[in-house]
Amino acid sequence: MPPVTATLIWILVALAVTGLYLSWTAGRLDRLHSRIDAARAALDAQLVRRASVAQELATSGVLDPAASIVLYEAAHAARQADEEQREVAESELSQALRAVFGEAEQMEAVREAPGGEAAAHELTEAVRRVPMARRFHNDAVRAARALRRHRKVRWFRLAGHAPFPLAFEMDDEPPAALLDRPTA
Protein backbone atom coordinates (compact mmCIF):
# COMPACT_ATOMS: atom_id res chain seq x y z
CA MET A 1 0.00 0.00 0.00
CA PRO A 2 1.48 3.36 -0.97
CA PRO A 3 2.25 5.76 1.91
CA VAL A 4 -0.27 8.32 0.58
CA THR A 5 -3.11 5.81 0.84
CA ALA A 6 -2.15 4.81 4.37
CA THR A 7 -1.98 8.47 5.38
CA LEU A 8 -5.40 9.14 3.87
CA ILE A 9 -6.87 6.16 5.72
CA TRP A 10 -5.44 7.40 9.02
CA ILE A 11 -6.77 10.90 8.36
CA LEU A 12 -10.22 9.49 7.59
CA VAL A 13 -10.15 7.35 10.75
CA ALA A 14 -9.10 10.38 12.83
CA LEU A 15 -11.87 12.50 11.28
CA ALA A 16 -14.43 9.75 11.90
CA VAL A 17 -13.37 9.37 15.56
CA THR A 18 -13.42 13.14 16.03
CA GLY A 19 -16.84 13.35 14.40
CA LEU A 20 -18.20 10.60 16.64
CA TYR A 21 -16.78 12.30 19.72
CA LEU A 22 -18.28 15.66 18.75
CA SER A 23 -21.61 13.99 17.99
CA TRP A 24 -21.57 12.27 21.38
CA THR A 25 -20.76 15.58 23.09
CA ALA A 26 -23.58 17.38 21.24
CA GLY A 27 -25.97 14.60 22.27
CA ARG A 28 -24.86 14.90 25.86
CA LEU A 29 -25.41 18.64 25.77
CA ASP A 30 -28.85 18.11 24.25
CA ARG A 31 -29.74 15.66 27.03
CA LEU A 32 -28.58 18.19 29.63
CA HIS A 33 -30.77 20.86 28.05
CA SER A 34 -33.71 18.44 28.11
CA ARG A 35 -32.97 17.70 31.75
CA ILE A 36 -32.97 21.44 32.49
CA ASP A 37 -36.35 21.80 30.78
CA ALA A 38 -37.82 18.92 32.78
CA ALA A 39 -36.34 20.20 36.04
CA ARG A 40 -37.67 23.69 35.33
CA ALA A 41 -41.15 22.29 34.69
CA ALA A 42 -40.98 20.38 37.99
CA LEU A 43 -39.77 23.50 39.79
CA ASP A 44 -42.58 25.57 38.27
CA ALA A 45 -45.10 22.95 39.38
CA GLN A 46 -43.78 22.99 42.93
CA LEU A 47 -43.77 26.78 43.06
CA VAL A 48 -47.34 26.95 41.79
CA ARG A 49 -48.38 24.28 44.29
CA ARG A 50 -46.78 26.18 47.16
CA ALA A 51 -48.44 29.43 46.12
CA SER A 52 -51.81 27.70 45.68
CA VAL A 53 -51.67 26.07 49.10
CA ALA A 54 -50.64 29.38 50.69
CA GLN A 55 -53.50 31.16 48.92
CA GLU A 56 -56.02 28.54 50.02
CA LEU A 57 -54.80 28.78 53.59
CA ALA A 58 -54.94 32.58 53.50
CA THR A 59 -58.57 32.54 52.33
CA SER A 60 -59.69 29.74 54.67
CA GLY A 61 -60.38 32.08 57.59
CA VAL A 62 -58.11 30.13 59.93
CA LEU A 63 -55.41 32.81 60.10
CA ASP A 64 -55.81 36.21 61.63
CA PRO A 65 -56.76 38.96 59.12
CA ALA A 66 -53.33 40.59 58.94
CA ALA A 67 -51.56 37.27 58.34
CA SER A 68 -54.19 36.31 55.76
CA ILE A 69 -53.66 39.53 53.81
CA VAL A 70 -49.86 39.24 53.87
CA LEU A 71 -49.91 35.61 52.82
CA TYR A 72 -52.60 36.08 50.15
CA GLU A 73 -50.88 39.06 48.53
CA ALA A 74 -47.50 37.31 48.43
CA ALA A 75 -48.99 34.10 47.04
CA HIS A 76 -51.03 35.99 44.44
CA ALA A 77 -47.97 38.00 43.38
CA ALA A 78 -45.93 34.79 43.06
CA ARG A 79 -48.58 33.17 40.85
CA GLN A 80 -49.00 36.24 38.63
CA ALA A 81 -45.33 37.26 38.32
CA ASP A 82 -43.68 37.62 34.94
CA GLU A 83 -40.69 35.40 34.23
CA GLU A 84 -38.27 38.29 34.90
CA GLN A 85 -39.82 38.97 38.33
CA ARG A 86 -40.53 35.37 39.33
CA GLU A 87 -37.48 34.87 41.54
CA VAL A 88 -38.23 38.03 43.52
CA ALA A 89 -41.92 37.19 43.90
CA GLU A 90 -41.15 33.65 45.08
CA SER A 91 -38.59 34.98 47.56
CA GLU A 92 -41.21 37.38 48.89
CA LEU A 93 -43.63 34.47 49.31
CA SER A 94 -40.95 32.61 51.30
CA GLN A 95 -40.51 35.67 53.50
CA ALA A 96 -44.27 35.97 53.99
CA LEU A 97 -44.50 32.30 54.95
CA ARG A 98 -41.70 32.80 57.48
CA ALA A 99 -43.42 35.92 58.85
CA VAL A 100 -46.80 34.19 59.21
CA PHE A 101 -45.55 30.80 60.37
CA GLY A 102 -42.43 31.93 62.21
CA GLU A 103 -43.86 30.73 65.50
CA ALA A 104 -45.40 27.37 66.29
CA GLU A 105 -48.57 28.95 67.72
CA GLN A 106 -49.80 29.94 64.27
CA MET A 107 -49.35 26.39 62.97
CA GLU A 108 -51.12 25.00 66.02
CA ALA A 109 -54.07 27.30 65.29
CA VAL A 110 -54.17 26.01 61.73
CA ARG A 111 -54.02 22.37 62.87
CA GLU A 112 -56.84 22.86 65.39
CA ALA A 113 -59.24 24.22 62.76
CA PRO A 114 -61.52 21.78 60.91
CA GLY A 115 -59.47 20.32 58.07
CA GLY A 116 -56.44 22.15 59.41
CA GLU A 117 -54.26 19.10 59.87
CA ALA A 118 -54.55 18.25 56.18
CA ALA A 119 -53.90 21.88 55.21
CA ALA A 120 -50.86 22.06 57.49
CA HIS A 121 -49.51 18.80 56.05
CA GLU A 122 -50.06 20.00 52.48
CA LEU A 123 -48.30 23.31 53.21
CA THR A 124 -45.41 21.52 54.88
CA GLU A 125 -44.95 19.20 51.89
CA ALA A 126 -45.21 22.06 49.40
CA VAL A 127 -42.67 24.14 51.28
CA ARG A 128 -40.23 21.23 51.62
CA ARG A 129 -40.37 20.26 47.94
CA VAL A 130 -39.47 23.68 46.54
CA PRO A 131 -35.81 23.62 47.69
CA MET A 132 -35.36 20.10 46.32
CA ALA A 133 -36.84 21.01 42.94
CA ARG A 134 -34.71 24.15 42.81
CA ARG A 135 -31.59 22.15 43.68
CA PHE A 136 -32.28 19.63 40.88
CA HIS A 137 -32.80 22.46 38.40
CA ASN A 138 -29.67 24.33 39.45
CA ASP A 139 -27.58 21.14 39.38
CA ALA A 140 -28.67 20.51 35.78
CA VAL A 141 -27.87 24.13 34.91
CA ARG A 142 -24.44 23.83 36.53
CA ALA A 143 -23.64 20.66 34.54
CA ALA A 144 -24.74 22.23 31.23
CA ARG A 145 -22.75 25.39 31.93
CA ALA A 146 -19.65 23.34 32.70
CA LEU A 147 -19.96 21.46 29.42
CA ARG A 148 -20.70 24.61 27.43
CA ARG A 149 -17.52 26.25 28.75
CA HIS A 150 -15.32 23.65 27.01
CA ARG A 151 -13.48 24.92 23.97
CA LYS A 152 -14.70 22.12 21.71
CA VAL A 153 -18.33 23.08 22.43
CA ARG A 154 -17.68 26.76 21.69
CA TRP A 155 -15.46 26.21 18.63
CA PHE A 156 -17.80 23.76 16.94
CA ARG A 157 -20.97 25.51 18.19
CA LEU A 158 -22.32 22.25 19.58
CA ALA A 159 -24.91 24.08 21.69
CA GLY A 160 -26.54 25.42 18.54
CA HIS A 161 -28.87 28.30 19.26
CA ALA A 162 -29.93 27.11 22.70
CA PRO A 163 -29.93 29.93 25.24
CA PHE A 164 -27.32 29.86 27.96
CA PRO A 165 -28.95 28.11 30.95
CA LEU A 166 -29.72 30.28 33.96
CA ALA A 167 -30.03 29.11 37.53
CA PHE A 168 -33.16 29.92 39.54
CA GLU A 169 -32.00 31.88 42.58
CA MET A 170 -34.50 32.57 45.31
CA ASP A 171 -34.93 32.58 49.06
CA ASP A 172 -36.50 29.20 49.78
CA GLU A 173 -35.80 28.81 53.48
CA PRO A 174 -38.88 27.24 55.09
CA PRO A 175 -40.54 28.67 58.21
CA ALA A 176 -39.27 27.32 61.52
CA ALA A 177 -42.73 26.11 62.50
CA LEU A 178 -42.84 23.85 59.46
CA LEU A 179 -39.37 22.42 60.09
CA ASP A 180 -40.02 21.48 63.71
CA ARG A 181 -43.22 19.59 62.93
CA PRO A 182 -43.21 16.15 64.50
CA THR A 183 -43.88 13.37 62.04
CA ALA A 184 -47.18 11.56 62.53
Side-chain angles (χ1 to χ4, degrees), residues 93-148:
L93 177 56
S94 295
Q95 293 167 1
L97 284 166
R98 281 197 306 272
V100 171
F101 298 108
E103 298 176 7
E105 292 83 26
Q106 190 72 280
M107 278 309 291
E108 290 305 318
V110 170
R111 284 192 193 100
E112 290 170 3
E117 188 63 40
H121 178 71
E122 192 173 355
L123 180 64
T124 301
E125 290 302 311
V127 166
R128 286 184 180 173
R129 288 181 180 168
V130 167
M132 288 188 303
R134 189 174 74 86
R135 193 173 315 120
F136 288 141
H137 175 267
N138 288 348
D139 286 347
V141 167
R142 196 173 304 113
R145 282 180 169 182
L147 185 58
R148 286 183 72 154

Side-chain angles (χ1 to χ4, degrees), residues 5-163:
T5 306
T7 304
L8 284 176
I9 290 174
W10 282 112
I11 289 173
L12 288 175
V13 167
L15 286 174
V17 168
T18 302
L20 285 173
Y21 177 72
L22 290 175
S23 174
W24 177 81
T25 303
R28 181 173 168 223
L29 190 57
D30 185 51
R31 287 188 302 276
L32 282 172
H33 282 130
S34 296
R35 192 171 122 200
I36 289 170
D37 291 342
R40 180 58 187 243
L43 175 61
D44 285 341
Q46 293 304 322
L47 292 172
V48 167
R49 180 173 182 242
R50 180 180 78 152
S52 297
V53 170
Q55 237 176 351
E56 287 176 22
L57 198 55
T59 58
S60 68
V62 175
L63 303 173
D64 64 85
S68 292
I69 290 171
V70 167
L71 194 57
Y72 181 83
E73 287 180 354
H76 181 71
R79 290 186 72 182
Q80 300 299 319
D82 293 333
E83 194 60 35
E84 297 83 31
Q85 299 298 320
R86 183 95 187 262
E87 293 173 353
V88 173
E90 294 295 344
S91 294
E92 288 172 356
L93 177 56
S94 295
Q95 293 167 1
L97 284 166
R98 281 197 306 272
V100 171
F101 298 108
E103 298 176 7
E105 292 83 26
Q106 190 72 280
M107 278 309 291
E108 290 305 318
V110 170
R111 284 192 193 100
E112 290 170 3
E117 188 63 40
H121 178 71
E122 192 173 355
L123 180 64
T124 301
E125 290 302 311
V127 166
R128 286 184 180 173
R129 288 181 180 168
V130 167
M132 288 188 303
R134 189 174 74 86
R135 193 173 315 120
F136 288 141
H137 175 267
N138 288 348
D139 286 347
V141 167
R142 196 173 304 113
R145 282 180 169 182
L147 185 58
R148 286 183 72 154
R149 280 191 203 106
H150 290 171
R151 276 187 227 128
K152 65 181 175 269
V153 173
R154 290 191 320 259
W155 287 350
F156 293 103
R157 298 190 44 83
L158 298 180
H161 297 288

